[in-house]
Amino acid sequence: MRQIQYVVKAVINPGELNTSVNFKLPSGFTTGAALYTNGVEKNTNAMATIEMKDDNSIAIAPSVHIDNWRQSNGGEYEKSFKPMNFDTGNKDYSLIFSLDEKLQGDIPLKLHVVFLYNNNVEKM
């Protein structure tokens, strides 16, 4: 089994409410994802959410608070990621990042989502 990481990066600039990123995961079976930020969301009252859709606008993961996507502490590396478990299927995907009020201040909110996937594993 060959585990690979794929990173999707996004930025919500000051004065903005949201951003989205379109991307294509390489062929394989996605086992998990984890979100990392520069911490700007901790200094605002705005609720930050993330949603993932495929190229047919079907939600792979519904809109939830970004903490739902954060890596958990302790345990094995892969098991600390948000479970995803889907075949990439050579599709295009979108991540939609949103705030419920405009980002204040002058520092952008930077987001990285790391996908773990295996390129030669059978679906479970």
Side-chain angles (χ1 to χ4, degrees):
M1 165 172 37
R2 183 168 170 228
Q3 187 179 80
I4 302 170
Q5 295 181 356
Y6 185 85
V7 179
V8 177
K9 299 176 183 178
V11 174
I12 298 178
N13 290 307
E16 294 179 346
L17 284 170
N18 56 47
T19 191
S20 64
V21 179
N22 297 319
F23 61 99
K24 184 181 290 274
L25 287 169
S27 293
F29 188 76
T30 304
T31 58
L35 173 89
Y36 303 91
T37 72
N38 62 340
V40 169
E41 76 284 358
K42 295 175 184 170
N43 300 323
T44 180
N45 291 327
M47 178 73 76
T49 60
I50 180 174
E51 178 179 12
M52 183 175 174
K53 293 184 176 184
D54 69 10
D55 53 6
N56 292 318
S57 294
I58 296 171
I60 301 294
S63 182
V64 294
H65 191 276
I66 63 172
D67 286 349
N68 184 265
W69 282 63
R70 291 197 196 274
Q71 186 177 14
S72 62
N73 293 327
E76 296 176 33
Y77 178 70
E78 186 173 1
K79 290 183 179 178
S80 68
F81 277 51
K82 175 183 180 61
M84 297 300 280
N85 299 317
F86 67 93
D87 191 339
T88 61
N90 200 30
K91 292 183 177 183
D92 293 320
Y93 296 94
S94 328
L95 284 173
I96 301 104
F97 303 92
S98 301
L99 300 170
D100 64 352
E101 56 187 64
K102 290 182 180 179
L103 184 62
Q104 301 298 311
D106 50 359
I107 301 172
L109 171 55
K110 297 179 182 179
L111 308 118
H112 286 190
V113 175
V114 178
F115 289 92
L116 291 180
Y117 69 97
N118 298 308
N119 67 349
N120 61 351
V121 69
E122 296 292 322
K123 288 190 260 187
M124 296 178 188

